[in-house]
């Protein structure tokens, strides 16, 4: 499966705590009409210049709540 990520924004970057919050939309490209688009919110923990932890909250097409 394939999705395009559009509108990705990094809203919060707390350098002192090493935390970054990002929001984006996964859209369905025309060549894959059966994929469902969805939205995602991600929180990254950065230590020593490397991503050490990712938490992602996903809301798929037709899904009433994040899962």
């Amino acid at each position: 499966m394939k999705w395009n990520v559009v509108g990705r924004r990094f809203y919060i970057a707390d350098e002192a705590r090493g935390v970054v919050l990002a929001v984006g939309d996964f859209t369905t490209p025309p060549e894959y009409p059966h994929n469902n688009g969805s939205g995602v919110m991600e929180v990254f923990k950065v230590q020593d210049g490397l991503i050490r932890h990712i938490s992602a909250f996903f809301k798929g097409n037709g899904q009433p709540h994040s899962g």
Side-chain angles (χ1 to χ4, degrees), residues 35-56:
N35 285 1
N36 291 324
S38 57
V40 65
M41 181 175 71
E42 303 161 311
V43 180
F44 301 91
K45 177 64 178 171
V46 181
Q47 291 176 323
D48 302 322
L50 300 172
I51 296 173
R52 300 291 184 175
H53 183 82
I54 300 172
S55 293

Side-chain angles (χ1 to χ4, degrees):
M1 294 193 170
K2 178 181 176 181
W3 294 272
N4 296 324
V5 180
V6 297
R8 178 173 281 177
R9 300 287 185 260
F10 298 93
Y11 285 106
I12 298 171
D14 186 334
E15 291 183 35
R17 291 181 174 87
V19 176
V20 178
L21 174 88
V23 177
D25 292 314
F26 287 81
T27 61
T28 303
E31 62 269 20
Y32 295 93
H34 299 294
N35 285 1
N36 291 324
S38 57
V40 65
M41 181 175 71
E42 303 161 311
V43 180
F44 301 91
K45 177 64 178 171
V46 181
Q47 291 176 323
D48 302 322
L50 300 172
I51 296 173
R52 300 291 184 175
H53 183 82
I54 300 172
S55 293
F57 304 92
F58 220 57
K59 184 176 184 301
N61 186 20
Q63 188 177 358
H65 304 288
S66 177

